Amino acid sequence: MNETLVTVVGNVATTPVYRELPSGPVARFRLAVTARYYDGAKSTWTDGHTNFFTVWAWRALGTNVQGSVSVGEPVIVQGRLKVRDEERGGQHWTSADIEAVAIGHDLSRGTAAFRRVGRGNPALTEPTQGQAQGRGQEKEQSRSQVQGDDVSGLWEKEPEPVG
């Protein structure tokens, strides 16, 4: 099946709505994308037409969107474009949705601080007592815990936040 993959840069227009569904967690928000062009006659940048997309983020991405994205923030969204036509109340509506694969802040317009979350082994993310002294040795120990055949305990509990 051919899918239309898009990468869109814009601003978050609505507060992300987060829901726990039987199929897994999902977050959705509206994204405003405004074309800008340089008007040589006026020597200024001018806003063009604004397109609005509904962005859908499923599973872990949806959970992370809920804790990371706010109204007005510049983001980059990559995902599958879905254009829907429907009749509501006797009127014809066309909407454009993006089923997101990746969402991130646009670092050309500001800074962000990344916080890793995951269900992995807490030993990989928690600082240890001798980390400053024997950093390389403890790193090897953490790697050996993951590289072994027994991975049953890797997803039993959430790691503590680092920092």
Side-chain angles (χ1 to χ4, degrees), residues 55-83:
V55 178
W56 295 88
W58 292 89
R59 296 172 286 288
L61 180 59
T63 303
N64 293 340
V65 162
Q66 177 218 7
S68 303
V69 175
S70 302
V71 173
E73 293 180 344
V75 294
I76 301 171
V77 176
Q78 183 176 34
R80 290 176 286 281
L81 178 65
K82 310 277 185 183
V83 179

Side-chain angles (χ1 to χ4, degrees), residues 71-143:
V71 173
E73 293 180 344
V75 294
I76 301 171
V77 176
Q78 183 176 34
R80 290 176 286 281
L81 178 65
K82 310 277 185 183
V83 179
R84 295 182 297 137
D85 287 320
E86 57 186 275
E87 293 286 331
R88 279 189 265 161
Q91 292 185 333
H92 179 80
W93 291 87
T94 301
S95 62
D97 295 355
I98 299 174
E99 190 176 309
V101 173
I103 299 172
H105 287 99
D106 182 356
L107 297 180
S108 70
R109 295 169 44 199
T111 62
F114 181 77
R115 293 178 311 279
R116 182 175 304 278
V117 295
R119 301 168 200 242
N121 186 344
L124 296 176
T125 56
E126 291 177 356
T128 58
Q129 285 181 335
Q131 193 168 24
Q133 299 164 351
R135 190 176 181 100
Q137 180 182 8
E138 288 165 16
K139 198 173 191 180
E140 283 303 314
Q141 182 181 6
S142 294
R143 281 189 189 143

Side-chain angles (χ1 to χ4, degrees), residues 16-33:
V17 176
Y18 179 78
R19 298 277 190 264
E20 290 279 345
L21 302 176
S23 58
V26 63
R28 70 173 163 80
F29 62 91
R30 299 278 286 161
L31 181 69
V33 179

